[in-house]
Structure formats: C-alpha cells, structure tokens
Amino acid sequence: MKLGTRARYGMRALVDIATYSKDEPVRLKEIARRQNVSLSYLEHIVGPLISGGILRSIRGPGGGVSLLRKPEDIQLVQVMQLLEGSLSTTDCVLNPEVCPRSEQCATRSLWAEISDAMHEVLSRKSLTDLLDRNDTVLEGSCVPQSFRRSQKPVSLSGNEASGDRGEASCG
Amino acid sequence: MKLGTRARYGMRALVDIATYSKDEPVRLKEIARRQNVSLSYLEHIVGPLISGGILRSIRGPGGGVSLLRKPEDIQLVQVMQLLEGSLSTTDCVLNPEVCPRSEQCATRSLWAEISDAMHEVLSRKSLTDLLDRNDTVLEGSCVPQSFRRSQKPVSLSGNEASGDRGEASCG
DNA sequence: ATATTGTTGAGCGTTTCTGTCAACAATACA
DNA sequence: TGTATTGTTGACAGAAACGCTCAACAATAT
C-alpha cells in the first residue's frame, strides 16, 4: 500500500507552487530543482494536474505553472485522484459488476471501508492544510529509495547519471 | 493504492478456514479449490499467517490449517500486516530517519494521516466481522483480472494451465 | 515404507513503475 | 520574422514488483 512517486512528487510540487507562485507562474525547471526531481519526469506528473483543472500553464518565456484556484479551494482528494487514479483498494469497490460475487462477498465491504477511510481524510483537506506548517525550507530533500535498499548500488561503469543529483524523494 | 492478491486471497482464505474448520483442520488444497486460487500460490500466502501466529498447521494425512485463536480474537490489522507488510503509505511515516526532511515535511503528516485512517479501520475489526454476513457461498468467484484486460489472452500453444480454472479472484 | 500434507526457496513471465529522450506547440521579445 | 524559451505529448527503456509455478524437502499418519 505504498504511494508511488507521482503522488509524492506531485503533492510536493503543488506545495512548491503555492509557496513560490505569488503572482507570477513558476517554471517547472525551478520546481524540479527545488524538489530534486528530474524536469522530464515532473512534466509528466504535472500533466494530469493541468488537464484536471488544478493548474494553469503558460508557455514561452516568463511562462510556467500556477494554481487555478486558491489553495483553500483545492481539495486534496481531487489532487490524489488525478495523480494516483482511483483511491479504491480493489476494482470491485467502485465497479461491483467486475465481480459476480460482489453482492455476497465477505471481504468486499472491508476493502470498501478502507477505501472510504482514505477518501474521507483527503476530502476533509485542502492544499491550505499543507501550507500551514512553517517549512518554507523546501530546498534539499530525501535520500532516494534506491540509496536505502542495497548497501552499494555499485554504479556500474561509473555512471552517476541519477546519482549526481544525490537526493530526491521520500515524503 | 490497489491491494495485491496476497491481501485479497489471504483474507478470503481466513474466512474460508473460519467457515469450514469446525474442529478439524482444513486442507490447503480444499481452500485453493473453493477460493479458486492455485495451491502453489496459496501456500506462499498462508505461510506468513502461520509464522505470524494466526494459523496453526498440521502436516501429513488429515492435516491442514486451522485458526489458532477464536475469530473474535483475530485482529484484521495484524492479518493485513502479515499479508501486505506495513500499512504505511510511505517509508518515512514509520521511519522518519530515512528522510532528513521528515521533521519539516509538508506532506509527511498527510501520508501519516492516511496511513492512520486505514490502520484505525482495521484495528476496530476482527475476523468475526467478516463472518457475520450470511454468505456461506464461498464457492465460485470472480473473473480474474487478466481476463478483463485484453480481449483474448490467446493462450499460446493451447496451454490452459491457469485458464482452465476459469475464474479466481477479485474481492 | 508409503502416501499425504505442509514448508521453503529458486525462478520465470508479465506488468507496472520510474524516468529519459525527442519531436512538437505556443509564447515573448528583439 | 526569427529565435529563444517554456510547456506538451508520445515513444520507449531499464528496473522493480507482482503473480505464479516448480521442485526439493520435512513431518506426520497409516
């Protein structure tokens, strides 16, 4: 039940934008730099937030992305659905017809309750709830997961293509 | 945030055992048949439940698995942790030290709240809560996900090794 | 002994995830 | 108009996770 990088990076990007976009849009390149995410990847993460009506984008010099609504009007449940897709823990929760046993299933209601619990937490929250904390220190970040797994990734042929960033993700 | 088959099959196996093991243990082969899961796979799913103290196993003829405690004493939160591992949505929720930004992270507390919400639902529930429903109809089940994806799995060289089971999972 | 049943680890094919690259579209500005 | 800048999109690739099978093994009953 671990979240993917899309949800984690995407949510942090939103916080970043809300923090640094006072009147002008924020360049993706800057978000990528501050959040230690590759620009190429961030573009794909931000895409759904734009088409989903959370962000507005402006191309060309002086362009970037900015919030389409005020932070208090951005529901995190919508953000999560755009970033991660449906929040339901099984397909049968949302689409009972995919399973002939749905009506009489002993476990389906449990999966539904778990899904609802997550949904409820996110329904109660807006982007503002992530900004209340006084951590404007968005620069610097976490050791990426790959660094925590094996003792030595060894980095064959001295390739440090992703390692030279040094740190990237986590929360 | 979809559950894997381990959680789904494992939970259904527990319900199956609670239903069909009145005094004698239940053979894995029978659970596998009723739940439409392969025996080989079920063995691996059941393993953690045995080592985790949920199930007792007896080898040899007349053997099988049975509940080590009464259903009302089996907390679903423990079952889930054995089947799925930690319920936390990110590593930093449980181990803040994996991430230097944990203390000041804008998003970490959100991930923690979601994790807690799931944890709380499962903490309130025991296996009994899955047995209350009068669906002893555990036989037959769902169309496996692989059947819903492509139109035709095609089954190269007429191999129906897993296809001849016809249906398997879902809830 | 032998058949039965659970236990464990290795491994394999597929899918998903994470991320990169390249071509492209739109805009600002000279 | 042209050029640099910025976002948009799709194809793709490597890595990891997932789902599952197989085979060797251990324990038990008869």
Side-chain angles (χ1 to χ4, degrees):
Chain A
M1 296 294 287
K2 287 283 181 292
L3 289 170
T5 52
R6 278 191 294 275
R8 305 207 314 273
Y9 295 172
M11 198 64 81
R12 272 167 52 196
L14 270 192
V15 174
D16 187 281
I17 295 165
T19 304
Y20 289 97
S21 156
K22 282 323 168 188
D23 44 334
E24 290 179 341
V26 183
R27 273 175 300 188
L28 290 183
K29 193 194 290 187
E30 294 179 2
I31 303 172
R33 182 181 51 80
R34 278 192 294 262
Q35 300 298 327
N36 267 318
V37 177
S38 88
L39 173 60
S40 320
Y41 195 29
L42 183 63
E43 290 163 349
H44 287 281
I45 292 171
V46 148
L49 297 178
I50 295 170
S51 58
I54 300 292
L55 293 177
R56 183 174 58 104
S57 70
I58 302 174
R59 298 196 222 201
V65 296
S66 54
L67 300 181
L68 205 49
R69 293 172 259 159
K70 289 174 297 183
E72 53 265 36
D73 293 330
I74 296 179
Q75 303 302 321
L76 296 191
V77 67
Q78 186 194 357
V79 173
M80 279 294 280
Q81 281 167 345
L82 290 171
L83 292 172
E84 280 272 319
S86 159
L87 293 174
S88 56
T89 51
T90 64
D91 289 335
C92 63
V93 167
L94 225 58
N95 304 104
E97 69 275 12
V98 303
C99 177
R101 277 174 67 247
S102 286
E103 295 308 314
Q104 57 191 356
C105 182
T107 55
R108 177 172 174 266
S109 62
L110 176 66
W111 309 141
E113 274 193 66
I114 295 174
S115 307
D116 290 346
M118 293 191 296
H119 196 279
E120 213 254 333
V121 168
L122 288 164
S123 296
R124 284 199 314 256
K125 293 197 172 298
S126 73
L127 185 51
T128 310
D129 293 303
L130 301 184
L131 305 177
D132 285 348
R133 53 197 67 256
N134 52 1
D135 57 341
T136 46
V137 192
L138 286 169
E139 313 255 351
S141 65
C142 303
V143 179
Q145 295 190 345
S146 54
F147 273 53
R148 297 197 302 269
R149 260 190 277 273
S150 357
Q151 277 70 349
K152 269 287 177 181
V154 164
S155 172
L156 312 168
S157 74
N159 174 15
E160 292 291 336
S162 68
D164 56 4
R165 175 172 289 117
E167 15 186 88
S169 75
C170 164
Chain B
M1 296 295 286
K2 288 283 182 292
L3 289 171
T5 52
R6 278 191 296 275
R8 306 207 313 273
Y9 296 172
M11 199 63 82
R12 271 168 52 196
L14 270 192
V15 173
D16 187 282
I17 295 166
T19 304
Y20 289 97
S21 155
K22 283 322 169 190
D23 45 335
E24 291 179 340
V26 182
R27 273 175 298 188
L28 290 184
K29 192 196 290 187
E30 294 180 2
I31 303 172
R33 183 180 52 79
R34 277 191 294 262
Q35 300 298 327
N36 267 318
V37 177
S38 87
L39 173 60
S40 320
Y41 194 30
L42 183 62
E43 289 163 348
H44 286 280
I45 292 170
V46 146
L49 297 178
I50 295 171
S51 60
I54 300 292
L55 294 177
R56 182 174 59 103
S57 70
I58 302 175
R59 296 198 223 198
V65 297
S66 53
L67 300 181
L68 205 49
R69 294 172 258 159
K70 290 174 297 183
E72 53 264 36
D73 294 330
I74 297 179
Q75 304 301 322
L76 295 190
V77 66
Q78 186 194 357
V79 173
M80 279 294 281
Q81 282 168 344
L82 290 171
L83 291 172
E84 278 273 319
S86 158
L87 293 174
S88 56
T89 51
T90 63
D91 289 336
C92 63
V93 167
L94 224 59
N95 304 106
E97 70 274 11
V98 303
C99 176
R101 278 175 66 247
S102 285
E103 295 308 313
Q104 57 190 357
C105 182
T107 55
R108 178 173 174 265
S109 62
L110 176 65
W111 310 141
E113 274 193 65
I114 296 174
S115 308
D116 289 347
M118 293 191 295
H119 195 279
E120 213 253 334
V121 168
L122 288 163
S123 295
R124 285 198 313 257
K125 293 197 172 296
S126 73
L127 185 51
T128 309
D129 293 304
L130 300 185
L131 305 177
D132 285 348
R133 54 197 65 258
N134 51 0
D135 57 342
T136 46
V137 192
L138 286 170
E139 313 254 352
S141 66
C142 301
V143 179
Q145 294 191 346
S146 53
F147 273 53
R148 296 197 301 271
R149 258 189 280 273
S150 354
Q151 277 71 350
K152 270 285 177 183
V154 166
S155 173
L156 311 169
S157 73
N159 173 13
E160 292 290 337
S162 68
D164 55 6
R165 175 172 288 116
E167 13 187 271
S169 75
C170 165

